[in-house]
Amino acid sequence: MGLRVRVLTQLSEVEALTPAWNTLVEGSASATSFQTPAWCLAVMRNLFPEKPSRARIAVVEDGKGLILPAPLAIAARNGVRMLQWLGEPLSAYGDVVARPGCDVAAVMQQVLDHMQARGDQIDVVYLPKTRVDATVTPFLKKFERLPSTNKIAPLIDLRRFPDFEAYVASRSSKAMKSYRRKRRRLAEEGNLDFRVHSSGRHAAELARVAFDLKIQWMKTHGKVSRIFAHPAFLDALLDFVGQEGSGAFVSALSLDDHPIALEIGFAINRCYYSYLGAMDLAFSRFSPGQLQLLESLRWSFENGIETFDFLPSDSEYKRAWAPESTEQSDWIFACSYKGALYGKLVLNSVLPLSRRLYTRAPLSVRKPTQSMIHRLLKE
């Protein structure tokens, strides 16, 4: 095919590729924040500081330059070697970016063949959180979709509304009236302020506050998350938020300069991704998270955002705001008998069943087992 495939494992190699990579991102309508070099570098710096060889940034080039960078990594689980997206579990969407006209299926097959030829032992290719409209979709024809992993991501096509007020008018009048009433009552408590902070040092400081509030909320409600299971995951997220120009934002609803609701979000190619929200439980009667969300939507209209993506998974509260949605799934391709067995027994059976059992368990059962579950997720 006249193509050259390289596999990058070092930060310096990815940094050198950043300008060409960003050019592809800017020209791709489907690229998300999770396929940018800034995101991949933050992941590599924090998740693989002592084991850079786990990173597999597959780079495909021709005489004209970069065609496709595929952010991948090798993960070992119970003796099974998986090739998966680099940002797992941090990335909300997994995908590649590619030059227009690229035969993604053929190029990605060449990537896989090259990695195996260079000595990578791969038992199973595991591509989780891949959207139905992902650039990598043509490559997935021979993959198996894990039916238990299908998820819905509610979103709003802001282009359907002339302005923020028109959008608000399309929502439940009863709910909007309640939010306005709660905002008035909250404003009576002190000086109420909303601001959106672009990536950088101050945004990272606010992100730390958001983590603390989220952890407290999780403890109160008996929730667990892989992102909060290991400090390195949060460090990678803070790294990305702290990089000026990364496209990360932290919005804050504050009362007398005290943040009572925060949201970490990412914006790229006129799409905003609502990544992580947190609130001060002491003010829960005012629904500060919903009030913050309203202001974030207003900001999105004012700053030319065309799509507001709530990200998976689906929920009633997201549906109350978002009339549209997209789908994502996990995909696997077994390269060995061991990989096929792991895919069927663990990825498609044990893990989904464990999540369902924990989620449906009463709070009295979940709370005492939180620490144990997080230790297991850390592995």
Side-chain angles (χ1 to χ4, degrees):
M1 297 176 63
L3 305 181
R4 181 169 71 114
V5 181
R6 295 186 292 144
V7 177
L8 313 184
T9 62
Q10 303 296 327
L11 287 168
S12 58
E13 297 174 312
V14 179
E15 289 167 349
L17 190 70
T18 293
W21 190 336
N22 278 330
T23 298
L24 286 185
V25 170
E26 292 166 3
S28 171
S30 62
T32 75
S33 300
F34 313 106
Q35 285 81 58
T36 63
W39 177 264
C40 294
L41 285 167
V43 169
M44 290 178 70
R45 277 191 291 265
N46 293 278
L47 269 60
F48 309 122
E50 299 176 358
K51 299 177 181 179
S53 61
R54 289 188 181 180
R56 296 290 189 275
I57 309 295
V59 176
V60 184
E61 300 162 307
D62 64 7
K64 297 179 181 179
L66 182 62
I67 294 178
L68 180 148
L72 301 165
I74 294 289
R77 297 285 188 275
N78 305 115
V80 176
R81 288 176 62 85
M82 294 187 295
L83 181 67
Q84 62 181 29
W85 297 124
L86 176 73
E88 181 64 17
L90 288 172
S91 297
Y93 294 131
D95 200 3
V96 301
V97 289
R99 183 194 299 172
C102 170
D103 185 345
V104 175
V107 170
M108 285 298 295
Q109 183 60 55
Q110 188 166 344
V111 165
L112 182 57
D113 293 343
H114 175 84
M115 294 180 69
Q116 292 175 315
R118 71 190 288 271
D120 276 322
Q121 178 189 338
I122 301 171
D123 293 304
V124 61
V125 183
Y126 175 52
L127 301 181
K129 304 174 185 176
T130 303
R131 284 171 42 150
V132 66
D133 59 348
T135 299
V136 78
T137 298
F139 176 57
L140 304 178
K141 290 182 179 179
K142 64 178 182 180
F143 280 61
E144 177 187 355
R145 183 203 301 263
L146 299 181
S148 60
T149 65
N150 295 349
K151 292 184 179 179
I152 300 295
L155 56 84
I156 310 169
D157 182 355
L158 302 186
R159 295 170 297 181
R160 294 179 56 237
F161 308 95
D163 53 32
F164 172 71
E165 296 303 329
Y167 164 74
V168 170
S170 73
R171 299 295 89 197
S172 165
S173 58
K174 181 179 179 181
M176 294 301 112
K177 184 178 180 180
S178 174
Y179 295 145
R180 286 191 289 268
R181 182 175 64 254
K182 289 179 179 180
R183 184 182 177 87
R184 287 195 301 270
R185 291 178 177 175
L186 187 56
E188 294 171 358
E189 301 286 322
N191 181 35
L192 191 62
D193 179 59
F194 174 80
R195 296 187 184 184
V196 177
H197 306 268
S198 58
S199 58
R201 180 179 176 181
H202 185 57
E205 292 172 352
L206 287 173
R208 288 185 183 275
V209 177
F211 292 165
D212 292 339
L213 293 176
K214 191 70 172 183
I215 290 170
Q216 184 58 48
W217 178 88
M218 291 170 64
K219 288 180 178 179
T220 301
H221 293 86
K223 301 291 186 179
V224 295
S225 167
R226 284 188 65 196
I227 294 175
F228 286 86
H230 199 296
F233 296 148
L234 297 182
D235 288 343
L237 186 52
L238 283 175
D239 187 328
F240 184 69
V241 173
Q243 291 182 54
E244 293 187 4
S246 69
F249 294 87
V250 179
S251 57
L253 182 68
S254 302
L255 187 67
D256 292 334
D257 296 325
H258 170 72
I260 60 173
L262 293 157
E263 180 183 69
I264 300 172
F266 311 136
I268 184 174
N269 294 344
R270 298 187 180 277
C271 185
Y272 178 85
Y273 301 95
S274 177
Y275 187 80
L276 185 149
M279 71 171 185
D280 188 333
L281 291 174
F283 295 89
S284 58
R285 67 187 184 280
F286 297 107
S287 301
Q290 303 283 22
L291 299 179
Q292 173 271 319
L293 179 55
L294 261 175
E295 294 301 327
S296 291
L297 284 164
R298 185 196 303 274
W299 174 86
S300 296
F301 273 99
E302 293 173 349
N303 287 272
I305 298 296
E306 296 180 351
T307 303
F308 193 101
D309 192 332
F310 285 86
L311 302 179
S313 58
D314 198 6
S315 69
E316 186 176 343
Y317 106 82
K318 291 180 181 180
R319 286 287 186 173
W321 296 100
E324 293 97 22
S325 66
T326 188
E327 298 179 12
Q328 68 162 211
S329 300
D330 295 1
W331 297 82
I332 62 169
F333 176 73
C335 301
S336 71
Y337 176 76
K338 182 166 58 174
L341 194 63
Y342 184 82
K344 291 185 179 298
L345 294 183
V346 179
L347 296 177
N348 197 36
S349 299
V350 175
L351 290 181
L353 178 60
S354 300
R355 283 192 287 264
R356 286 197 299 270
L357 289 175
Y358 183 84
T359 301
R360 296 173 183 177
L363 184 60
S364 59
V365 173
R366 294 201 311 270
K367 290 187 71 173
T369 60
Q370 272 183 305
S371 297
M372 179 190 70
I373 297 298
H374 268 140
R375 284 196 298 270
L376 292 174
L377 292 174
K378 185 177 180 179
E379 298 300 326

